[in-house]
Amino acid sequence: MGSSTSEHLFERARAAIPGGVNSPVRAFDSVGGVPRFIARGEGAELVDVDGNRYLDLVNSWGPLLLGHVRDEVRQAAVDAIGRGSSFGAPTEGEVELAEAIVAAVPSVQKVRLVNSGTEAGMSAIRLARGATGRSKLLKFVGHYHGHSDALLVAAGSGVATLGIPGSPGVTEGAAADTLLVPWNDRDAVAAAVAAHGDDLAAILCEPVPANMNLVAPEDGFLAFLRAQSDACGAVLVFDEVISGFRVARGGAQQLHDVVPDLTVLGKIVGGGFPLAAFGGRADLMDHLAPAGPVYQAGTLSGNPVAVAAGLAQLRLLTDEVYERLGAVTDRLVTGLREAFDAAGATVQVLQHATLAGVLFAEGPPRRYEDVAAADHGRYARFFHGMLERGIYLAPSGYEVVFTSTALRDADVARIVEAAAEVASALAARD
Ligand SMILES: *Cc1c(COP(=O)(O)O)cnc(C)c1O
């Protein structure tokens, strides 16, 4: 089956929507070709408007840990819609979701719900600045924290893919207070803290960076960030929009046993709906209005449908789910490594708990530059080879592989088989 309906829709989309998409990476710019317009999802699979089926290794960029249209989540959302789509007044569901997040995430004593990871990150930063009375932020090169001005500086993911160094429209003023440091570089962090510690409101990171492919924290690095924050009085913020509820139920902070002051959550927490959250120490969170003076608000925040779906999904995230997700990821990573080895490919199949990545590089990456220097043209060819064989990978070599528990062992075997074919076809072309 071809992709003529997707092609036609993309043409219409480009006339009415900038670049034809509502979020840049979807446009396939970094791999080339026409993005597939999706008609529906079914468990582990996507079905596009031309009727092609794909095993999904994106899962909406992470939210769908249990796969598409999981019945309990669907039913919860449908039930909630029947009671009303939005009230702009408090509901019981918000309390339940907040309690579920507090119970699951070690650092979170109080939490506020918002609509996107961008909003959550932006609000956490304002809170850190408001609570400390300081202005500077320390962030890591290649870490993505959404598209708010102060954080869109050397951000990975779509920004890295498009090669935008920040972005036009972000003023020098907005970026001037953001200090940039290479990931896994203790000396650089210590030097920045020594020079600016008294002005530093927050040290912000993705504890398991997953927007510059997958670059795990080196042993002790997160604890080092905790100690540096303590030493200068900066708020330590973990952006766990991807790692939260994925690398472990309590996120990277549980897996690595390092507790930040504030945590940013998104993606999984909304069960596939526009919902995100930020939370942390109660004394910090109580700086937020109306408890305190730091203003933050949202007409649709805590939307009852999103809350119901998020809560339904969180309730399904048992220990067995993480065991299964771990087993699926292990099996996939092992299979891909064998397939690439057999083809003699120069590639890193990266894994950190239940996250994986495919990076055409000679060694494991330590920082953003290592990912930028990888062979992204080869990733594009790999991506298209897989797409033709019904495997939907992220359309950029800066992204990770998001598994779901909807993938059965036979599905994983099909993915590995496809990868073996594509890898040997790529090798034959060399
Ligand atoms: C996706 C993402 C965000 C932004 O979330 P949106 O809902 O897309 O605004 C922030 N931080 C990280 C680590 C992310 O992966």
Side-chain angles (χ1 to χ4, degrees):
M1 225 172 281
S3 54
S4 58
T5 314
S6 280
E7 275 167 40
H8 179 63
L9 277 173
F10 195 42
E11 227 174 271
R12 277 175 56 199
R14 274 184 300 190
I17 303 172
V21 291
N22 283 309
S23 197
V25 186
R26 296 179 196 172
F28 278 28
D29 275 0
S30 87
V31 292
V34 174
R36 301 305 189 262
F37 281 66
I38 304 305
R40 62 182 189 277
E42 291 174 8
E45 288 189 317
L46 286 174
V47 185
D48 74 12
V49 287
D50 290 289
N52 302 299
R53 305 182 80 91
Y54 307 92
L55 286 170
D56 189 5
L57 291 175
V58 179
N59 284 296
S60 188
W61 305 95
L64 305 179
L65 188 86
L66 304 170
H68 296 271
V69 208
R70 174 69 182 234
D71 199 51
E72 296 91 328
V73 179
R74 184 192 65 82
Q75 194 59 52
V78 168
D79 290 349
I81 290 172
R83 293 188 295 269
S85 54
S86 182
F87 310 116
T91 60
E92 185 176 0
E94 290 164 84
V95 184
E96 288 179 337
L97 182 54
E99 287 170 352
I101 295 169
V102 167
V105 185
S107 66
V108 178
Q109 296 172 336
K110 288 193 176 181
V111 61
R112 181 156 283 175
L113 305 180
V114 295
N115 305 289
S116 72
T118 294
E119 208 185 328
M122 180 184 88
S123 305
I125 290 307
R126 177 176 305 155
L127 174 58
R129 284 172 160 164
T132 59
R134 299 173 175 185
S135 57
K136 290 200 186 312
L137 310 172
L138 188 153
K139 90 173 271 292
F140 292 90
V141 179
H143 291 213
Y144 181 64
H145 305 296
H147 63 272
S148 70
D149 284 3
L151 299 176
L152 199 61
V153 183
S157 200
V159 186
T161 298
L162 295 174
I164 302 169
S167 164
V170 175
T171 62
E172 280 171 29
D177 281 330
T178 306
L179 308 170
L180 285 167
V181 170
W183 183 237
N184 281 325
D185 187 336
R186 293 182 189 222
D187 292 345
V189 173
V193 168
H196 303 284
D198 292 345
D199 299 326
L200 206 55
I203 295 180
L204 175 67
C205 72
E206 287 182 69
V208 180
N211 283 287
M212 47 179 199
N213 212 296
L214 184 60
V215 186
E218 289 176 357
D219 277 352
F221 189 66
L222 297 176
F224 172 78
L225 295 182
R226 176 71 274 178
Q228 290 287 308
S229 299
D230 288 341
C232 70
V235 175
L236 182 62
V237 185
F238 279 2
D239 180 345
E240 299 230 41
V241 170
I242 284 181
S243 56
F245 297 104
R246 177 167 290 270
V247 298
R249 194 177 154 78
Q253 55 197 270
Q254 178 190 324
L255 187 69
H256 290 279
D257 200 17
V258 175
V259 179
D261 302 299
L262 292 178
T263 297
V264 181
L265 296 164
K267 298 192 170 113
I268 291 171
V269 77
F273 283 79
L275 187 152
F278 64 105
R281 270 178 23 222
D283 65 298
L284 268 178
M285 291 302 290
D286 282 338
H287 281 83
L288 282 178
V294 178
Y295 196 70
Q296 186 279 329
T299 301
L300 293 176
S301 290
N303 173 266
V305 182
V307 163
L311 193 58
Q313 183 166 263
L314 291 198
R315 284 184 172 146
L316 291 167
L317 300 182
T318 57
D319 291 348
E320 293 71 49
V321 163
Y322 290 100
E323 271 165 37
R324 176 64 195 157
L325 196 67
V328 166
T329 312
D330 289 349
R331 192 179 273 266
L332 178 65
V333 165
T334 306
L336 289 177
R337 283 180 182 155
E338 284 168 7
F340 284 125
D341 277 353
T346 303
V347 64
Q348 305 297 312
V349 182
L350 305 164
Q351 183 181 12
H352 193 75
T354 53
L355 278 168
V358 175
L359 186 71
F360 289 92
E362 277 172 23
R366 280 195 72 214
R367 61 184 59 181
Y368 177 74
E369 285 69 25
D370 303 333
V371 176
D375 189 343
H376 291 276
R378 181 162 290 259
Y379 182 85
R381 294 192 289 282
F382 178 65
F383 166 85
H384 279 292
M386 295 296 275
L387 194 69
E388 280 166 24
R389 289 165 178 79
I391 314 298
Y392 192 87
L393 288 165
S396 161
Y398 286 87
E399 309 291 350
V400 293
V401 172
F402 295 100
T403 48
S404 83
T405 58
L407 287 164
R408 296 156 303 168
D409 291 350
D411 298 327
V412 176
R414 254 187 64 204
I415 296 167
V416 169
E417 206 176 296
E421 276 177 36
V422 177
S424 62
L426 289 182
R429 281 178 38 164
D430 289 337

